Amino acid sequence: MRRLAAIGAAGDAGEVAVPVADSTDCAQDRSPSPWRLTDVCAVWETGVFLFAADWEGASSGVVARKRLNEAERLSSVQEAELERLEAARPRWPGSGERGPVLRMARLQPPLWVHAAFLLCFLGLGGAIQIPMDLSQPPTITKQSVKDHIVDPRDNILIECEAKGNPAPSFHWTRNSRFFNVAKDPRVSMRRRSGTLVIDFRSGGRPEEYEGEYQCFARNKFGTALSNRIRLQVSKSPLWPKESLDPVVVQEGAPLTLQCNPPPGLPSPVIFWMSSSMEPITQDKRVSQGHNGDLYFSNVMVQDMQTDYSCNARFHFTHTIQQKNPFTLKVLTNHPYNDSSLRNHPDMYSARGVAERTPSFMYPQGTASSQMVLRGTDLLLECIASGVPTPDIAWYKKGGDLPSDKAKFENFNKALRITNVSEEDSGEYFCLASNKMGSIRHTISVRVKAAPYWLDEPKNLILAPGEDGRLVCRASGNPKPTVQWMVNGEPLQSAPPNPNREVAGDTIIFRDTQISSRAVYQCNTSNEHGYLLANAFVSVLDVPPRMLSPRNQLIRVILYNRTRLDCPFFGSPIPTLRWFKNGQGSNLDGGNYHVYENGSLEIKMIRKEDQGIYTCVATNILGKAENQVRLEVKDPTRIYRMPEDQVTKRGTTVQLECRVKHDPSLKLTVSWLKDDEPLYIGNRMKKEDDSLTIFGVAERDQGSYTCFASTELDQDLAKAYLTVLADQTTPTNRLAALPKGRPDRPRDLELTDLAERSVRLTWIPGDDNNSPITDYVVQFEEDQFQPGVWHDHSKFPGSVNSAVLQLSPYVNYQFRVIAINEVGSSHPSLPSERYRTSGAPPESNPSDVRGEGTRKNNMEITWTPMNATSAFGPNLRYIVKWRRRETRETWNNVTVWGSRHVVGQTPVYVPYEIRVQAENDFGKGPEPDTVIGYSGEDYPRAAPTDVKIRVLNSTAISLQWNRVYSDTVQGQLREYRAYYWRESSLLKNLWVSQKRQQASFPGDRLRGVVSRLFPYSNYKLEMVVVNGRGDGPRSETKEFTTPEGVPSAPRRFRVRQPNLEIINLEWDHPEHPNGILIGYSLRYVAFNGTKVGKQIVENFSPNQTKFTVQRADPVSRYRFTLSARTQVGSGEAVTEESPAPPNEAYTNNQADIATQGWFIGLMCAIALLVLILLIVCFIKRSRGGKYPVREKKDVPLGPEDPKEEDGSFDYSDEDNKPLQGSQTSLDGTIKQQESDDSLVDYGEGGEGQFNEDGSFIGQYTVKKDKEETEGNESSEATSPVNAIYSLA
C-alpha cells in the first residue's frame, strides 16, 4: 500500500528540524532546510503531496481493519480532516492542543514546496548555480512570451528580469532599433528590473506600440538577451451589417450556413444559437465545422422550427457578438401526416425524399493536403452530405491510427491527433458511406517542425587553465541554422580570442583565463520559428563552500528511504564524500548510494542508521564540510482496530482504536464518519483509545474511521456500524443476524521450539454466523524483506494448533488469518519472534546462465536465493568458469550480488559454469555445470551462389550455399533476404522502394519469397544473421516478376437517376499488375427470388462508364465488374442497384388486393355502412334532432360535457392531430375540409396568424350557426358530418 504524506509525513526524509535546544520542527513556520529539499522532490503531484517511500517496506505487520486503498481514497479523508481541524481548531503547534495540521490532497502547494522543487530540479538535473555573493554575468530569469497579446483596455506590461553580480542594467530594442524609454512619457521601466510599463491612463493608442521588442541585461561580465517578443493588441471587430434573405432549400438537399466571423486577435470562439439564445442541437446530420460554418447533410422539415445565428466570443473583451439570424424555408413534394411519419420504418421514403450517395461538403474534391507542426495537434475534418445521413470512418494508408493520440470529434467528422510527431505524416482518408454507396477523401499530411532542443547550452563554470565547451544542438524541419553571438553581438564581429574555437554547433575553450568571461547566445531558427538560449562562461578560482545551514536535524520513520543533500560550490568543481560518526570509510554501496550531485541516499532506514553524517567537499584550493544528525523514529500503528458491529437503537456502542507510536512524537487521534469529520456531540465521548456512542440512533449507522497521526506519519482503520430498527425478536436469533467475515485469531503462542520446526497455537475469533473453513499462517523475517508478509502454510478451520517447518537462520514472526464463506479476517497480531540456528546452504541459486553482452565478454547471471534458503549470514556465491573441452584450471571469484562479467574472452566459445552458494556456516552442495557462451560478433561471410527462380507473378524460389561455421561468429539464427521493388514495367507508375525482408530460420539452403508485385523489377541481397546482427551482404541479384491479374477496379459506383436507366462508373485498379486489355461486366436482373438471364459486356481499357437500359421499372440489378490483363481477369467487385422508392409499397398493394380475405372484408364493411345510413334516415324521418350544443357561448370546461348536452368535443388527451389533417409546408396542422373551421372558434371573421404561421387566436365556443342557417351545413366532406346530415 502507498500512503499519502503530510508535512513531514512518512516519506523520504520525514521532518527537518533546526538543531537548537528546543528541537521544534519545520511545522512551526520555519523554512525547511536544504537537507530536506531533495526529499520534497518526491513529489507534489496533482495537488497530492507524495513521498517516494515504499510503504510496504515500513509495515510493522499490523494490518488495520478495513484499511482503505490509500492511494485512491485517503486524500479525500485527509482533506475532510484538514477542513474540520482548520474550522474547529485553527491553532498551530504551541497551543498545547494539536500537532501540525496535515497538508492534504487538492490543496495548493505551499511556497516552500515550489522552492524545494526548484532546488531539486537544479540539483538533480546537474545545472550549476553560482552563489549570488560571487561575481557572475547576467542571467535572464523572467520574460514575456514570444507572442505577447495584450488587452487594449489595460496598461501594457512587457516583462524582463535578470540576476547577476553586479546587478545588471537593462535596455530595449524595438523592431531591431534602440528603444529610448526616457523619451516617451508613457513608457517607464520598473526599478531593479527591465520590465516595461506603458501607461494609457493619460491617453494614447495601444496600437502605436505594436512591434518586436528585445531586452538586454548587462553588467561588466557580459550581456544576456531575452527572446524577441512580438507585441500585439487584441482586436474584437464588430460584425458587418448585412440583411439576410430567407434560405429556401428542398427537403433532403445539403445546406451550408456560412458564419464568416470578423477576424479577431486571438481568433474568436464560434458557436451557433437561435435568435432567442437557445443552442442549436447538433448530431451527425447537423453539425458545426472547424471553420465555424453550420453544415446540414440533408435538410428536414423540422429544421424550419428555429432560426440560426452564428455567435463569436472574444477572449480578452469577454464579449459575444451575434450575426443576423438565418431563416430556413424547406420545400417538400410529398407531405405525409405526422402519424404516418411516426410509424413509417423509413423516414426519408415516407417524406418522399430521394436517397442519394454521399458527397463531400468539406473539403471539396477527392484529395487535399495539410501541413502541421511537430508538437501541435493535427485536426482533419470531413463533412459529407447524403440521404440517409452518411457515417464517417477514418483510416491511415499503410498503417493504423495512433490509438494513444487519436480521438474522434464532432460525431466522427473530425480526427484529432495530439502532440504530432514525424511518424504521424502520411496519407489519411475519410470514408463517408450510407446504404446507397460510399466515397472517400484522401488528405496528405506533412509534418514540419520548428526548432527544438537536442542539447541546449548550459552555463559553463571553469577554473583558470581548465578546458570546456558549449554545445548548441537543435533539430527541426527544415533543418535549422545555428548562429552564435557573444554579449548580444555576432561572434564574427567580436574581438578574437585565441582560447576559443568554433566548430559548428560547438564552441571549445582551451586554457581558459579570467578575461574569457562572457555571455554567449545560441540562436537556432528555420521558417517555422526560432530558439534563443543564453549560456555564460564564468572563470572562477573559489575554494569549496557549503550552501546549507550547518548541523541540521532530520527525523525519519523506520524502514523508509531517505536522501541527504549537501549543497556545495567551488571552482574547480569539488569532489564530495560522506562519512558516518567520524568513521574513515566513505559511504557508498550496499544500503547507501551517492548520486553525481553529491546527495546520499539511504535505501532503507534502520535503527543502526541513526547518527551523525558528515559530507566533505574537496578541491585543489581547500575543503569544506557540513554535518547532519539523523534520528530514526518508530512508525505509528493502530494495533487494536475498531470492529464491525451490529446493534439496536438505544444501546451503547464502543469503537476501540489503540495506537502504538514513537514516544518522542506527538500523537493525534481523530474520527471520521462516512469519510467526513465526525462531530462529537452530547451522545458521544472521545477518549485516547476509543469512541463511545450512547443511545445509538439510525443516523449513527455508517463507516467510522480512526485516524492516528504524528508529525511524521499516520495510520487509519475503518469499521462499519449497523443499526437495527426496533422489531420483534425472531425465534431463531442466529438466522436473524447477518453473516460476516470472521474475527481475527488472537493470543498466538510458540511452543515445542526446535532447530527446524515450531508449534504455533492460537485462539479462534468469532465466526460471525459463518463457520471458519481455513486458516492461513503467514511469516515475516527482518533481514532480507522486513515488513513483508509471506504465506507459509494453510490448515483446516477445525484446528487451532500446527507444527511449522522452518529454515535455518531466519528470525521468524507469525500471524494467522481466518477464512469463511464471506471472506478473510484481518490478520492476527503477530507472534513473538523466533530465530532458528544457522547451517550451510542446502541448495544453490537457480537459472544460471552465461551470455555475452559484448563480443569479448561473458556475463554470468543467476536468480539469488531468498531468506528461507540462505541458512546463514553473509550469503555469497562462488562463481567458477573455464572453456569447455579444455584442460585449463577453473577460474573462480566470490560475488555478493547476482551477476559477474568475465572479460577478454574469444568470440563465441562455450564455457562451463558453476555457481555455488556459501555462508558463514559453510558451502552449499556441489553445483551443476551449465554451458554458457561468450559474446558474438557480426558474421564475416555472406551466402554465395544465390540462385533465383521465378515461380509465378508474386513469388520466387531462392537457393544458396551455406557459409562456413567459423565465419558465423555466433549462433546462426537465420538466413535473411533483403529485397526491394526497383521499378514497374508499366511506364509512369510510381513504386515504393522500401526494403523488405524474408527470414529463413536455421541452417537452410532454400526458401520462397512471396507477396511480390507482378510485372516489376526487383533487386535482392542475402545476409547471415546471428545474435549480434547482420553479416555482410551478398552480391545484388536482379529479377523480374511476370504479368499477373489486376486488383479490383476502384470506386465502383451505381447510380439510378430515374426508372429507365442505370449509370455505372469506376476507376482503374490500384494495382494493374500488367497491361490492362479491358474490363468485363456481368449483370443480371432480379426481383425477389426471380433472377433473369446474365448479360456480359466487355469494354476497352480506357472506358470507365457504362449506361444500362432498364427492362422494367421494378426489377433490381446486380453488377459484377473485373479488369483483365493477358493473364486473365482479376479480383471482381459487386454492387447492386438501389431499390425503387415505392417497391415495397407496390408489392404489398398487389399482394393484398389479390387476397380473397381482403375482398370479403371490404364487402362486409360496405354492408355495415349501408345499414347505418338506413337507421339514421329512419330516425330523421321521425323528427329526431341531433343537438350540436344547447348552450352557446359557454367555454369548454375540464369536465367532459358530451353525455350531458350531446356536443362533439374535438380535444384529445394525447394531443393527437385531428383525423383527416395533413402537414403543411411549414409543419402546422390544417383541417382537411372539416365541418369545424378554426374561423368558427375565433372572435373575428378570420383566424389570426403570426409571422411564422402559428395560430394566435383565442379559442371560444363555436357559435350556434343553426340560429341563422337552420339545420343546413356547408361542410359535409367528413364521413361523420355526412352521417349527421342524414340524421
Side-chain angles (χ1 to χ4, degrees), residues 111-366:
L111 182 61
W112 65 266
V113 174
H114 291 292
F117 277 135
L118 179 60
L119 187 55
C120 290
F121 176 77
L122 296 177
L124 298 180
I128 301 175
Q129 297 293 312
I130 303 178
M132 286 306 299
D133 61 329
L134 297 178
S135 298
Q136 56 185 289
T139 302
I140 300 290
T141 59
K142 189 176 183 181
Q143 57 183 316
S144 295
V145 295
K146 293 180 181 178
D147 290 311
H148 189 31
I149 302 175
V150 296
D151 192 333
R153 300 169 299 178
D154 299 334
N155 292 336
I156 294 176
L157 201 71
I158 310 177
E159 292 183 313
C160 177
E161 296 182 9
K163 66 177 183 178
N165 189 3
S169 60
F170 298 88
H171 74 270
W172 287 82
T173 62
R174 179 186 175 197
N175 298 328
S176 301
R177 301 180 64 182
F178 175 72
F179 183 53
N180 194 338
V181 176
K183 292 184 64 175
D184 193 330
R186 296 193 187 94
V187 183
S188 62
M189 194 180 301
R190 286 182 176 174
R191 188 181 179 188
R192 296 180 181 178
S193 168
T195 298
L196 286 182
V197 180
I198 308 176
D199 194 341
F200 297 102
R201 287 178 295 183
S202 58
R205 297 179 64 251
E207 291 80 4
E208 297 176 356
Y209 291 89
E210 290 185 326
E212 188 176 78
Y213 292 79
Q214 190 167 27
C215 174
F216 293 73
R218 172 177 299 163
N219 67 11
K220 65 179 182 179
F221 300 117
T223 303
L225 277 63
S226 73
N227 288 323
R228 298 189 297 275
I229 302 168
R230 186 170 63 156
L231 178 67
Q232 295 175 284
V233 179
S234 173
K235 298 176 178 61
S236 53
L238 297 176
W239 222 300
K241 297 291 184 181
E242 57 182 340
S243 178
L244 300 176
D245 296 330
V247 179
V248 181
V249 62
Q250 184 73 32
E251 185 176 15
L255 175 65
T256 302
L257 299 182
Q258 295 185 347
C259 180
N260 296 327
L265 184 69
S267 299
V269 176
I270 304 299
F271 57 95
W272 286 81
M273 304 185 77
S274 67
S275 57
S276 59
M277 301 306 291
E278 294 291 332
I280 301 299
T281 302
Q282 299 189 26
D283 51 27
K284 76 173 186 175
R285 185 178 67 87
V286 182
S287 63
Q288 175 185 323
H290 183 62
N291 60 1
D293 295 346
L294 189 65
Y295 294 90
F296 296 75
S297 293
N298 52 78
V299 176
M300 302 301 294
V301 170
Q302 60 263 30
D303 296 331
M304 288 195 302
Q305 296 176 1
T306 184
D307 55 9
Y308 302 85
S309 177
C310 183
N311 296 261
R313 178 166 58 85
F314 293 91
H315 171 69
F316 279 92
T317 59
H318 302 288
T319 58
I320 296 177
Q321 297 187 24
Q322 189 176 51
K323 185 176 182 177
N324 288 341
F326 292 93
T327 302
L328 297 188
K329 183 176 181 182
V330 181
L331 305 179
T332 181
N333 296 325
H334 302 283
Y336 284 79
N337 59 40
D338 287 350
S339 177
S340 299
L341 282 177
R342 187 181 302 114
N343 299 323
H344 202 283
D346 192 333
M347 177 179 62
Y348 294 100
S349 296
R351 296 208 55 84
V353 177
E355 296 178 334
R356 293 182 291 103
T357 56
S359 61
F360 283 110
M361 306 175 69
Y362 180 87
Q364 300 290 333
T366 60

Side-chain angles (χ1 to χ4, degrees), residues 1228-1240:
T1228 60
I1229 305 299
K1230 294 184 179 180
Q1231 188 68 16
Q1232 187 179 23
E1233 300 297 329
S1234 173
D1235 61 330
D1236 284 333
S1237 170
L1238 292 178
V1239 176
D1240 297 331

Side-chain angles (χ1 to χ4, degrees), residues 359-405:
S359 61
F360 283 110
M361 306 175 69
Y362 180 87
Q364 300 290 333
T366 60
S368 59
S369 63
Q370 191 166 333
M371 189 274 286
V372 64
L373 289 181
R374 179 183 187 268
T376 62
D377 287 359
L378 169 65
L379 183 65
L380 305 178
E381 191 173 35
C382 281
I383 301 176
S385 65
V387 179
T389 303
D391 294 311
I392 304 294
W394 291 90
Y395 305 91
K396 182 179 182 182
K397 287 188 177 180
D400 298 327
L401 297 176
S403 58
D404 56 332
K405 300 192 298 181

